[in-house]
Amino acid sequence: MFICIFASFTNFINLNNAEGYFYPYTLTTNKDHYFMDEFIEINASWFLTYEQETEICYFQIRIFDLQNTLIWNSSKYHEISSIENNYVIHHLNNISIKDFNLSFKNISTSIIITLFYHYLQYVPPIEITEYCLNKTIEIQKKELICELEGLRNEIFYSEQLDLQISFFDFENKTFLSNYNCRVEINKSNTFFFRKKYIVNNSIFTQSIISTIDNMSIGLNILNITILGFNIYQKKSFFFSFNVNRSPTKIKLIEYKNNIKPDDDFYLKIFHYYINNNSEIPIINQSITLQFKQSDYVLYEIINSTDINGIVQFKISNQELNFFNSINILNISILFGGNQFFSNNTLILSLNILKQSFPTELILFLSLSSIIFIPILIVLIKRLIIKNKTVQLGDITINY
């Protein structure tokens, strides 16, 4: 060790015919283990006497780190004790550990507190230095607990994180305030989001992390780190969550479920997803339309959504000649999905109206036949009877 351990002393030490005498009594601290935000209470006492005109003599408290670097020292105490009154000099020092420039390989380190003695005589020149007493104490960084609310295990692409982050001092049982914080989101060591925040309150709320801009589909890692605090153990808090493909939605805009075989077919639909309670169009995506009877596909056509998320299907009746032989069809609108949006299928029913007389016309004709046919028969009979010519036979007249 760099410190010369004071071995043993008699009641007083004579300094090679010099007049100065010293004797260290105590060097104590109020604890043996400290945290970085605490104060060390050093209690030291000694006896000191010397000739002030020809000698310089003082005690001093010095603190060294493990690299033999002086990190703190007290003032020089020159006060002379009294032999007659058995007067011992006593000094109490309260020292903030935060003022030390300590380096940590782990979460703790040690410092050595020493009582240093210095003597200087002018004639003949004599100089003596002694490290009389020493005490080793442990300095430990405090442990923080990160409390996180608002993170779910599963979220959908297009949603956003609404996080409440707070750091809890496990030793003091209090929430930390006035600190810098870094929030990161990454996947496979690729960072999608990284931002530093200055937090003045005990609870930090961050609600603008969008999955669209700052995350990737699959497993994502949220990393929260407190910055610039030598008091606390440097530690990153990791949380994992899955980002799933966003569900897609389909809305019918224009569609007729009853058509005639010679009609053209027209369908207009809107594809979108929900983001922050708003309908966001899914653009430039392929949409497939199928006419099906049972599970058999009779006709298929593919189109794409425009910048408004709308896709239109216009099919002439010449391409749908199978309408003449079918009464009911199923229509499937298929979106196969992509890396961000899930697939979706909309099933519609289509009725093919055959060419026939309307029911109203049939009823009208039936009623008309019931009423007008008898009238027609009567009229015909009257006309026939009125216009009938009777041929008389020979008539004999007797007088």
Side-chain angles (χ1 to χ4, degrees):
M1 296 290 290
F2 67 93
I3 300 174
C4 295
I5 306 226
F6 180 63
S8 61
F9 290 87
T10 56
N11 288 338
F12 298 100
I13 297 177
N14 191 300
L15 298 178
N16 297 329
N17 300 321
E19 295 296 329
Y21 295 92
F22 74 97
Y23 183 77
Y25 280 107
T26 60
L27 178 64
T28 61
T29 56
N30 57 324
K31 294 194 304 181
D32 293 329
H33 299 273
Y34 294 86
F35 290 107
M36 279 293 298
D37 60 343
E38 293 184 306
F39 287 81
I40 303 175
E41 184 180 295
I42 302 176
N43 191 339
S45 61
W46 59 82
F47 182 90
L48 180 63
T49 182
Y50 62 98
E51 181 59 49
Q52 291 181 302
E53 293 181 359
T54 60
E55 298 170 328
I56 295 176
C57 195
Y58 63 85
F59 273 99
Q60 188 179 44
I61 299 173
R62 295 184 177 184
I63 300 178
F64 295 85
D65 63 14
L66 293 179
Q67 285 72 43
N68 196 22
T69 302
L70 180 65
I71 59 176
W72 185 88
N73 58 261
S74 69
S75 302
K76 297 175 181 179
Y77 302 117
H78 297 275
E79 299 94 332
I80 296 177
S81 305
S82 173
I83 298 177
E84 292 80 7
N85 299 323
N86 198 25
Y87 174 67
V88 177
I89 299 174
H90 174 83
H91 279 279
L92 181 65
N93 293 268
N94 286 316
I95 308 167
S96 174
I97 302 177
K98 290 188 293 185
D99 296 335
F100 302 157
N101 186 19
L102 295 176
S103 60
F104 291 79
K105 289 186 177 179
N106 297 310
I107 64 172
S108 67
T109 188
S110 295
I111 61 175
I112 302 171
I113 304 172
T114 67
L115 187 59
F116 174 76
Y117 170 76
H118 179 265
Y119 172 80
L120 176 63
Q121 177 181 282
Y122 297 120
V123 180
I126 298 174
E127 184 175 9
I128 298 176
T129 59
E130 292 271 359
Y131 286 97
C132 307
L133 299 176
N134 69 83
K135 181 176 179 61
T136 301
I137 62 174
E138 184 182 23
I139 308 298
Q140 184 174 345
K141 288 190 175 183
K142 302 180 74 174
E143 182 179 0
L144 277 177
I145 297 174
C146 180
E147 295 188 356
L148 177 64
E149 295 183 7
L151 181 65
R152 292 167 290 164
N153 293 330
E154 304 279 341
I155 63 174
F156 287 113
Y157 183 79
S158 77
E159 293 182 327
Q160 63 182 23
L161 286 180
D162 186 3
L163 302 179
Q164 289 186 347
I165 304 171
S166 57
F167 290 96
F168 185 74
D169 189 321
F170 186 76
E171 298 297 329
N172 292 346
K173 309 301 181 185
T174 58
F175 285 98
L176 192 65
S177 60
N178 300 321
Y179 60 91
N180 294 338
C181 178
R182 183 178 65 221
V183 178
E184 298 173 329
I185 296 177
N186 69 84
K187 178 183 178 182
S188 301
N189 296 323
T190 300
F191 287 90
F192 299 99
F193 180 84
R194 177 183 287 174
K195 191 173 182 180
K196 294 181 180 179
Y197 301 92
I198 300 175
V199 184
N200 297 320
N201 302 318
S202 59
I203 297 180
F204 161 58
T205 301
Q206 163 65 17
S207 59
I208 58 172
I209 306 180
S210 169
T211 54
I212 295 178
D213 301 321
N214 305 295
M215 301 176 201
S216 178
I217 298 297
L219 183 66
N220 288 251
I221 304 298
L222 172 65
N223 181 5
I224 303 172
T225 307
I226 191 169
L227 304 173
F229 260 100
N230 197 34
I231 297 173
Y232 298 96
Q233 177 184 354
K234 187 176 181 181
K235 182 179 179 182
S236 295
F237 298 89
F238 296 93
F239 306 89
S240 62
F241 61 95
N242 276 306
V243 178
N244 298 324
R245 292 190 301 169
S246 180
T248 57
K249 297 183 179 297
I250 302 176
K251 184 184 295 185
L252 277 173
I253 298 177
E254 190 172 344
Y255 173 66
K256 291 173 61 177
N257 61 348
N258 294 303
I259 64 173
K260 298 177 182 178
D262 56 353
D263 289 341
D264 294 335
F265 177 83
Y266 180 71
L267 176 67
K268 185 178 182 180
I269 51 180
F270 174 45
H271 282 74
Y272 64 98
Y273 65 93
I274 301 297
N275 181 15
N276 197 21
N277 297 322
S278 299
E279 296 180 352
I280 309 299
I282 299 176
I283 65 174
N284 196 28
Q285 296 296 314
S286 296
I287 308 298
T288 302
L289 182 143
Q290 294 177 340
F291 291 97
K292 300 173 70 175
Q293 189 177 34
S294 298
D295 293 329
Y296 182 73
V297 178
L298 302 175
Y299 184 88
E300 180 177 285
I301 186 172
I302 299 176
N303 208 341
S304 297
T305 55
D306 59 18
I307 59 173
N308 298 313
I310 293 175
V311 61
Q312 302 181 64
F313 292 96
K314 296 179 181 179
I315 309 173
S316 67
N317 65 328
Q318 296 176 355
E319 297 181 67
L320 305 174
N321 51 16
F322 52 86
F323 278 5
N324 294 317
S325 59
I326 297 175
N327 295 324
I328 299 177
L329 283 173
N330 287 329
I331 299 177
S332 297
I333 298 101
L334 310 172
F335 171 56
N338 56 29
Q339 60 175 331
F340 301 114
F341 301 103
S342 60
N343 59 327
N344 198 351
T345 300
L346 177 65
I347 305 297
L348 300 175
S349 179
L350 180 65
N351 296 318
I352 312 298
L353 302 178
K354 301 302 181 183
Q355 296 288 355
S356 60
F357 289 106
T359 305
E360 294 81 0
L361 179 60
I362 295 174
L363 180 61
F364 175 76
L365 293 175
S366 300
L367 291 175
S368 299
S369 62
I370 294 173
I371 296 173
F372 291 105
I373 289 178
I375 295 174
L376 182 61
I377 293 174
V378 171
L379 290 175
I380 291 173
K381 284 184 177 181
R382 288 188 176 184
L383 289 174
I384 291 174
I385 294 172
K386 181 178 179 180
N387 297 323
K388 185 178 180 181
T389 302
V390 179
Q391 183 176 3
L392 298 177
D394 294 338
I395 297 175
T396 302
I397 299 175
N398 295 324
Y399 293 93

